[in-house]
Amino acid sequence: MAYSIFLDGTNWVFADLRDLLAKATPRRSGDELAGLAAGSAVHRIAAQMALAEAPLADFLTQTFVPYEIDEVTRLIVDSHDRYAFAPIASMTVGEFREWLLSPLATPAALTALAPGLTPEMVAAVSKIMRLQDMVLVAAKCTVVTALRSTIGLPGRLATRLQPNHPTDDSRGIAASLIDGLLLGAGDAVIGVNPATDGVQDYSRVVGLLDDVRQRLGVPTQTCCLGHVTTAIKAIEKGAPVDLVFQSVAGSQAANAGFGVDLAVLGEAQDAALSLGRGTVGRNVMYFETGQGSALSANAHHGVDQQTMEVRAYAVARRFEPLLVNTVVGFIGPEYLYNGKEITRAGLEDHFCGKLLGLPMGVDVCYTNHCDADQDDMDGLLLLLVNAGVNFVITVPGADDVMLNYQSLSYHDALCAREVTGRRRAPEFEAWLAQVGLTDAAGGLKPAPVAIGPALAALSSRLEAAE
C-alpha cells in the first residue's frame, strides 16, 4: 500500500510503510549506508508529514519482515493485544503523538496500552517527535522490575557497575568492583563482560562476583555477560547465576548471527528461574541491543535501523527481563555518526522501549573514532535521567579498558543524582546507609567506617588466592 503527499511542487510517493518509515527517520549514517535514507531534507519532511497521516490500523495489516520467514514478526503479530489497542485504534500516527503528549496519557493509561502497541507503531510515532516530546512521554512511563533489588520506581536512578578487565583478572575485577561500590554504584547489577566465553572462566567470574556480594551483604544482582548457551551450561554445573545475559536484534536472521533464537532464550530463562535466587522479584533476564546490529549482520530486510532496533524490544518483552540496555553509541560512526545522532538515538531507544513496557537502561557511550565527546554524553545523560531512565552503565573513569570505548563514570552518576535528586534502588540505598557509606540524604560520607572490616577480610581472601 503506497502513501503520498504533495509538497514543494512535488508529489512524494512512498511504496509502503517500510519505505515511509525509512524516509521519515531523522538523518543517521546507518540508513545512508544501507541506501534507505531520504535523499534530502525536503524528502524527509514529506515522509514525516505523510507518516503523520497514516492510520495506526495500517500497521496491523502490513508486516515489515515476512511472517513466513521470521519468528520475530510472528511473535509481534501473534502476541498483539487488540483489546489494549482499542482506545487508539482509530487514530493516525499524528493523532497518536498528540494523545501521548496530552494529559489523557497518564501513567496508568500508558501501562494499559503497552500490550496493544507493536514495535513499528512505536518507532513510527517517535520519528515525528522532538527530543523534548520523547522526554515528556517517557517520563510518564513507569516500568518496575525486581530480583534482589527493585529497579524503575519513580524518582529513582540505578546504575550498572561494570568492572571489566582485559584478562578477566580476579583482583582487577574486584578492585574496580569495590571502587564502584564505595562510590555508590551497582544497584541495577554488577556485570562483567568477560574476555573469553568458556564455561570455566564464566563460572569463575560469576563465583567471584557472588562471593564479593555475599561477603559485603550487597542487595543487588550479579551477571557475567557471556553467551546465553554458556550461561545454561554453567547453571547445569551449579554456578551461582543471578541474571542470564544476551544481545538480541529485530529479526530472526540477525538473532541467528548472535547464535540465538526464541527457543534457546526460553530455555535460559527457565534455567535461571529454577535457581530461585531472587529475594524481592523473579526477573532473571538481561538483554542488550543497539541500532545498527541488524544492518551490520546484513539481516535488516530493507527496514531502517531504528525500526529494527524497536523490533528487538519485542524479543526482550517476551521474557520479562530485569534490565534492557541499549548500547547506543557502542556500534560506531558507521551507524550513528556523531554526538547529535547518538543523542537522538539514545532518547528514541529509551522512549520506544518504555512505551512497549520495558525496563529500559542506556549505555551513554561512544567509540574513540566517533565525532562525539564527553560533553555529548553529559547532555544525553541529563536528558535521560529527566526522562526517567531505569539505569545507566558506569565504569571506572568513564573508560572501559576491556571493550575500549567511553561510557559514564561512577562520578557522572553521582552528579546526575545531585542535580536531579534521583535516589538509588530502595534495598541498595538502605544497605549503603547501613554500612556507613551514605548519610540520611543519600550523599556519600568522606570516611566510611562500618564497611571496613568486610573490605579487609575480602582483601585478605584475594591475596591468599593469588
Side-chain angles (χ1 to χ4, degrees):
M1 177 180 176
Y3 297 82
S4 64
I5 188 169
F6 189 80
L7 178 67
D8 196 28
T10 301
N11 186 39
W12 300 93
V13 180
F14 307 93
D16 51 26
L17 279 179
R18 183 174 56 180
D19 184 39
L20 182 60
L21 264 65
K23 300 299 186 293
T25 304
R27 185 177 183 179
R28 62 203 51 190
S29 52
D31 291 333
E32 293 177 344
L33 177 68
L36 300 173
S40 66
V42 175
H43 192 190
R44 182 174 298 109
I45 291 170
Q48 290 172 338
M49 294 175 68
L51 178 58
E53 297 300 318
L56 286 176
D58 285 6
F59 289 81
L60 300 181
T61 60
Q62 299 183 45
T63 55
F64 283 58
V65 181
Y67 182 95
E68 297 75 13
I69 65 168
D70 188 84
E71 66 174 5
V72 177
T73 297
R74 294 195 290 275
L75 174 65
I76 293 169
V77 172
D78 296 345
S79 64
H80 180 249
D81 186 335
R82 288 182 176 271
Y83 293 102
F85 178 63
I88 61 168
S90 64
M91 294 182 184
T92 64
V93 174
E95 289 168 342
F96 182 41
R97 172 187 177 275
E98 297 305 309
W99 181 83
L100 288 171
L101 294 171
S102 77
L104 296 174
T106 63
L110 291 169
T111 299
L113 178 63
L117 296 174
T118 69
E120 292 86 354
M121 292 177 194
V122 173
V125 75
S126 75
K127 294 175 191 296
I128 58 170
M129 298 180 87
R130 295 166 53 193
L131 299 188
Q132 69 173 8
D133 298 341
M134 293 188 284
V135 170
L136 174 64
V137 177
K140 297 193 285 186
C141 298
T142 300
V143 182
V144 178
T145 56
L147 187 68
R148 213 172 271 119
S149 60
T150 306
I151 312 300
L153 292 168
R156 306 276 178 171
L157 168 68
T159 54
R160 171 186 163 189
L161 198 171
Q162 185 169 297
N164 292 343
H165 189 276
T167 62
D168 290 346
D169 177 75
S170 294
R171 293 212 309 170
I173 292 172
S176 295
L177 192 165
I178 297 302
D179 182 27
L181 287 177
L182 291 175
L183 289 169
D187 44 347
V189 63
I190 300 171
V192 170
N193 296 84
T196 65
D197 200 34
V199 175
Q200 183 177 1
D201 195 44
Y202 179 101
S203 299
R204 178 181 61 82
V205 172
V206 294
L208 168 67
L209 298 179
D210 193 59
D211 187 18
V212 174
R213 181 192 63 78
Q214 290 201 56
R215 285 174 181 272
L216 300 180
V218 190
T220 190
Q221 35 285 324
T222 62
C223 183
C224 178
L225 282 73
H227 194 266
V228 66
T229 54
T230 305
I232 293 172
K233 293 174 183 174
I235 290 173
E236 291 172 348
K237 292 179 177 295
V241 177
D242 286 344
L243 295 180
V244 173
F245 164 83
Q246 183 56 51
S247 295
V248 294
S251 72
Q252 179 176 332
N255 284 326
F258 286 135
V260 299
D261 57 23
L262 298 181
V264 76
L265 293 176
E267 181 183 351
Q269 183 186 30
D270 290 342
L273 284 171
S274 72
L275 299 180
R277 293 177 62 81
T279 55
V280 295
R282 285 172 51 83
N283 301 108
V284 294
M285 301 299 285
Y286 173 9
F287 293 112
E288 287 194 347
T289 65
Q291 289 193 28
S293 59
L295 174 58
S296 67
N298 195 27
H300 60 95
H301 298 273
V303 180
D304 70 87
Q305 68 179 33
Q306 191 242 342
T307 301
M308 289 303 291
E309 166 72 6
V310 187
R311 283 171 56 91
Y313 303 158
V315 176
R317 185 164 64 169
R318 164 68 177 79
F319 300 99
E320 300 177 338
L322 179 79
L323 309 166
V324 178
N325 174 42
T326 170
V327 285
V328 64
F330 183 74
I331 199 165
E334 298 84 358
Y335 306 91
L336 296 170
Y337 182 72
N338 54 23
K340 179 179 175 66
E341 293 190 11
I342 291 173
T343 297
R344 175 154 184 109
L347 291 168
E348 287 171 349
D349 295 351
H350 177 256
F351 162 80
C352 292
K354 279 288 183 65
L355 210 53
L356 289 171
L358 286 174
M360 289 302 295
V362 178
D363 192 348
V364 180
C365 65
Y366 62 100
T367 56
N368 292 318
H369 62 312
C370 185
D371 183 16
D373 59 28
Q374 212 62 35
D375 284 344
D376 298 308
M377 302 303 104
D378 290 347
L380 178 55
L381 170 62
L382 292 175
L383 285 167
L384 284 166
V385 174
N386 281 290
V389 68
N390 278 28
F391 69 100
V392 293
I393 307 297
T394 54
V395 304
D399 182 15
D400 191 304
V401 296
M402 183 270 184
L403 294 172
N404 289 316
Y405 77 110
Q406 307 301 311
S407 182
L408 299 176
S409 71
Y410 308 135
H411 294 84
D412 291 330
L414 291 175
C415 174
R417 292 189 194 286
E418 186 168 344
V419 170
T420 65
R422 293 296 200 279
R423 297 163 58 189
R424 299 173 181 84
E427 301 85 357
F428 194 83
E429 180 181 63
W431 173 77
L432 287 173
Q434 177 189 341
V435 299
L437 282 168
T438 56
D439 57 27
L444 289 178
K445 289 183 176 178
V449 176
I451 199 173
L455 288 177
L458 178 62
S459 177
S460 298
R461 177 190 173 281
L462 290 170
E463 289 176 358
E466 187 178 10

